[in-house]
Amino acid sequence: MTALAAKRPVSSEYIDGAVAAPLPGHLGKPPRPRHLLRAAAGTLWFGFTALYLWCPVHRFPPAQPFHGSRWYNPYATVTAATAWRKVNLHAHARAWSGLTNGRGSADGVLRRYREMGYDAAPVSDYQTITRARGADPSSLTAYEHGFNVRKVHLLAVGAQRVDWLDYPLLQGRDEMQHRIDRLRSSAQLVIIAHPRLRQAVTDADLRALTGYTAIEIGSSFGRSESAWNVALDAGRPVWAVANDDTHDAEEPNEAGRYWTMIAAPSTDAHTLVAALSSGQAYAVFGHDGSADARLTSLSIVGDTLTVAFAGEAANVQLVGAGGHVLAEVTQTHGARWTLPCDAGWVRVVARTATTRLFLEPVLRSESGAMPQPRATVAPTATLVRRAMAWVVLLLAVVPWIGRDILRFSRADTMRPRLALRTAA
């Protein structure tokens, strides 16, 4: 063996008496963790961008007061003999192995509300349809939809399945409307939950959004009567509900403070949903599931509204646009007012020492039927945005594919060159 051959590096490869030069060192090194993290962060950013671009563009009906010569009265068929059901639509049990804020079992929540005389109290865990073992198969179900940072949460009532689309970061009204529309296709009712919590839903949003049934005006996480007024001023026919939104039904201050009374002949899901959809309900702020006053009737003849209550004498207010009190009668079981000719909507509030009743509004319309404004999807603008989403997705994928192509390409161009050497 010659001296040259003896000095050949151990890492050299021999092919038919020829030796290949070693590969350049940088082609054999694995990607650095820092580079992988940077690429993953970039891909995540592109993914979020594509998600938001995929959201449809909507055309919202203009905000304008209710108008017409007739009134829609949701209590037109309510009499002293009407059966009223006490309902709570927002309560949490322990779910997701304790990752969410909820305590106790669904059975425990149902038992607690039955003890307080509730007719329906579905557990509304986050992104989960939960039915207690003791619940009737025809009973109402609900879940709280949303996992975004602003807590723009919706109650999906009578849902058949869980919808997982959400926009985790900021939400504009297009994103909110998209979620409402999707939930309406999988649930019977959509309710905006705690709209004032973290200012989740702005007044501008409330003037634009459509398609939801009600606003949660009272819960353990705040009161939102003002949000309801804004929606009504914009000509949005939405009702009010009150729910405990309890996360521990055994806590006295978390259960039995807020609920909704629904005029329905039975407690099955279909009947309750139909009654609430038409506004045959009212929200109650009470204590331990008890109220010392209740509605017996509300009628309108021409422009004269007559309302009657049973129980303790109450201070009764007529509320109109902007939440302004138009008239008030104290310590009474009923009231009668002539409604202003320029009022698009009015509603009645009754207060006793321990109870507040928030009745649904009566609304002006041309036909006497409930108005139904609807946001629509703008097809051209939506198509353009979704084309941009595909471009963004491609930009997210290309760096990963391009890196592999570049690696293989460089490996091919720098293939080991055979240096012929004479064997010893």
Side-chain angles (χ1 to χ4, degrees), residues 18 26 42-43 146 157 194 309:
H26 68 278
T43 302
V157 180
H194 43 63
F309 298 92

Side-chain angles (χ1 to χ4, degrees), residues 64-137:
Q64 58 182 7
F66 297 106
H67 59 278
S69 58
R70 303 178 66 181
W71 289 96
Y72 174 76
N73 174 17
Y75 304 109
T77 61
V78 171
T79 67
T82 297
W84 289 92
R85 311 296 177 177
K86 187 191 301 184
V87 178
N88 180 73
L89 297 172
H90 198 172
H92 295 274
R94 189 176 188 274
W96 296 100
S97 299
L99 292 176
T100 57
N101 184 17
R103 297 182 180 180
S105 66
D107 292 339
V109 172
L110 178 60
R111 182 184 65 255
R112 172 74 172 117
Y113 278 97
R114 281 181 173 174
E115 290 171 351
M116 292 188 292
Y118 282 70
D119 298 287
V123 174
S124 57
D125 287 326
Y126 299 102
Q127 298 297 130
T128 304
I129 299 174
T130 303
R131 188 184 290 276
R133 288 193 298 269
D136 187 281

Side-chain angles (χ1 to χ4, degrees), residues 238-314:
V238 297
W239 312 123
V241 297
N243 300 303
D244 282 326
D245 192 4
T246 177
H247 289 70
D248 186 353
E250 297 301 325
E251 281 290 329
N253 291 330
E254 286 200 23
R257 297 178 61 195
Y258 305 94
W259 65 90
T260 305
M261 299 298 294
I262 301 177
S266 69
T267 60
D268 67 88
H270 176 77
T271 303
L272 292 174
V273 164
L276 183 53
S277 297
S278 62
Q280 296 179 358
Y282 60 90
V284 183
F285 298 178
H287 178 71
D288 200 24
S290 297
D292 59 8
R294 59 183 178 85
L295 173 70
T296 56
S297 66
L298 188 152
S299 62
I300 297 181
V301 178
D303 280 340
T304 300
L305 182 150
T306 303
V307 62
F309 298 92
E312 295 292 326

Side-chain angles (χ1 to χ4, degrees), residues 57-62 174 208 210 374-382:
V57 178
H58 296 87
R59 296 288 179 261
F60 296 95
D174 277 317
T210 67
R374 283 287 184 266
T376 58
V377 174
T380 302
T382 299

